Amino acid sequence: MTTTIKPYVNCIRETICAAMCLENFASQIIERHNKPEVETKTSKELLLNPVTIARNKQEKVLIEASVNSVRISVCLKKADDLEIILAKRFMRFLTQRAEHFLILRRKPVQGYDISFLVINQHTETMFKHKLIDFIVLFMEEIDKEISDMKLSVNTRARISAQAFLKELVN
C-alpha cells in the first residue's frame, strides 16, 4: 500500500469498525420483521449520522449506520474516460454476481459506484474484523485492477496502432 493512500484507508477502517456495533433489532412498525434500518429508514431515531470520507472530489466513501445494519458506499477514482468505462463495466460485472458476495448490494447508492450492506446476522456469523478487512482490501484491489486494465488497454491500442500504421506505410 502506498503511503499516500494509507491514512485514507486507515480512516475508513476505523470508521467502519466504530459503525459496526450492530445488534438484532426488530421492526417497531411491523411485528416479526427485521429489516435493515439503513435501507428502510422507517425510524429516524435508529439511524446514525452518515459519514463521508473523501480523498478527493472523485474518491469517497459514504458510511451509513443504524442499529442493525451498516451500508458502505464507495466512489472510485476515475481520472479519464477510459477509467470511467472500465469502472462501470467492472462494477456491473461484480453486481451481477452479488449473491456470491454476501454483503455486496446489487444496486449502489445514487452517486456511488458500489455499495456493501452489512446486517447484524453477518456480524453474528462472521468475524467483524474479517468483514472490515474484506471491504478495505476490496477497495484497494479494485483501484489496482482498474489501473492494470487501463494499462492493458493502452498497450493493446498502441500495438494495434503500430500494426495498422505499418500496413499503411507498406
Side-chain angles (χ1 to χ4, degrees):
M1 181 186 338
T2 62
T3 56
T4 58
I5 198 170
K6 197 169 187 168
Y8 175 66
V9 170
N10 286 340
C11 184
I12 291 169
R13 182 185 304 276
E14 294 301 320
T15 307
I16 293 173
C17 185
M20 269 204 205
C21 297
L22 307 176
E23 62 181 47
N24 191 8
F25 193 85
S27 174
Q28 293 179 326
I29 297 170
I30 304 168
E31 190 175 332
R32 294 186 182 173
H33 278 247
N34 192 348
K35 305 270 189 213
E37 285 295 328
V38 77
E39 294 278 322
T40 59
K41 295 185 180 182
T42 54
S43 303
K44 298 288 184 199
E45 64 272 5
L46 301 177
L47 299 173
L48 298 172
N49 292 331
V51 177
T52 303
I53 303 168
R55 186 170 179 217
N56 53 38
K57 286 183 180 179
Q58 291 129 357
E59 269 186 285
K60 59 185 175 181
V61 175
L62 174 66
I63 301 169
E64 300 169 288
S66 71
V67 69
N68 65 353
S69 57
V70 176
R71 182 170 54 197
I72 300 115
S73 302
V74 180
C75 190
L76 301 171
K77 164 186 82 163
K78 295 177 284 282
D80 58 4
D81 291 337
L82 181 58
E83 284 187 2
I84 291 171
I85 292 167
L86 289 173
K88 183 178 177 183
R89 293 289 179 195
F90 197 47
M91 293 307 115
R92 185 167 173 249
F93 173 81
L94 289 174
T95 53
Q96 286 177 343
R97 290 148 182 83
E99 65 273 356
H100 299 297
F101 302 97
L102 295 177
I103 61 173
L104 186 65
R105 291 184 75 227
R106 281 204 178 272
K107 189 165 180 155
V109 173
Q110 185 72 28
Y112 290 86
D113 297 316
I114 196 158
S115 292
F116 300 96
L117 179 67
V118 180
I119 56 176
N120 64 308
Q121 283 112 4
H122 294 145
T123 57
E124 290 169 0
T125 58
M126 298 180 228
F127 293 114
K128 180 175 139 181
H129 65 280
K130 294 284 186 184
L131 280 170
I132 296 168
D133 289 343
F134 170 76
I135 293 168
V136 171
L137 183 68
F138 187 89
M139 288 172 41
E140 292 171 0
E141 293 298 318
I142 288 292
D143 282 340
K144 288 178 190 170
E145 278 295 320
I146 291 173
S147 297
D148 290 346
M149 284 191 284
K150 182 179 176 184
L151 286 173
S152 175
V153 166
N154 287 337
T155 303
R156 288 171 56 194
R158 184 176 58 253
I159 291 170
S160 63
Q162 286 173 347
F164 178 74
L165 292 174
K166 195 181 288 183
E167 290 297 320
L168 280 176
V169 171
N170 295 334

